[in-house]
Amino acid sequence: QVQLVESGGGLVQAGGSLRLSCAASGRTFSRYSMGWFRQAPGKEREFVAAISRSAGSTYYEDSVKGRFTISRDNAKNTVYLQMNSLKPEDTAVYYCAAASPDYGLGSAFMYDYWGQGTQVTVSS
């Protein structure tokens, strides 16, 4: 069992930055690939970024490439999402999730555990 708690969301102007954190409980964090998803009002949840267990591989949705960076610290049981050059269309609730497999990380179906989400609002 893994419990995930996100933090770091908030209100920011377009062009600004935020850093999301997701703290995981338990001593098996390093066994999970981690992902970030987001859901805007009236839209389906969409993939944002993912990182493999060892942090050897990272994956990004096209619209965030070059602006967002996912990283993890297995010693701290934490995964991060650094978001730069934020746009109003990045406004959403952001969720972190943990997946047992190390593949197919762009699909929400691969993830076993989810956090409660943190709101990110980007004003124009």
Side-chain angles (χ1 to χ4, degrees):
Q1 188 78 6
V2 177
Q3 292 184 325
L4 304 171
V5 179
E6 302 97 335
S7 61
L11 174 63
V12 64
Q13 289 188 333
S17 298
L18 283 174
R19 187 195 196 201
L20 305 184
S21 299
C22 174
S25 65
R27 290 177 283 183
T28 60
F29 178 72
S30 61
R31 298 180 185 178
Y32 291 91
S33 300
M34 299 297 296
W36 286 96
F37 288 75
R38 65 187 179 187
Q39 187 167 19
K43 295 187 176 182
E44 293 187 354
R45 190 170 298 189
E46 65 173 0
F47 170 74
V48 176
I51 188 166
S52 63
R53 301 183 193 110
S54 64
S57 298
T58 57
Y59 310 90
Y60 296 94
E61 194 270 330
D62 285 347
S63 69
V64 308
K65 285 180 181 177
R67 300 189 298 123
F68 291 11
T69 302
I70 188 171
S71 61
R72 66 188 296 162
D73 185 337
N74 286 345
K76 295 183 178 180
N77 282 10
T78 302
V79 62
Y80 305 97
L81 185 67
Q82 177 67 45
M83 305 186 295
N84 299 328
S85 301
L86 283 161
K87 305 175 181 180
E89 51 263 43
D90 294 318
T91 295
V93 177
Y94 283 70
Y95 299 88
C96 75
S100 296
D102 216 14
Y103 56 86
L105 298 177
S107 171
F109 293 106
M110 302 303 288
Y111 292 81
D112 306 300
Y113 303 102
W114 293 82
Q116 83 290 348
T118 186
Q119 177 70 47
V120 171
T121 303
V122 184
S123 63
S124 57

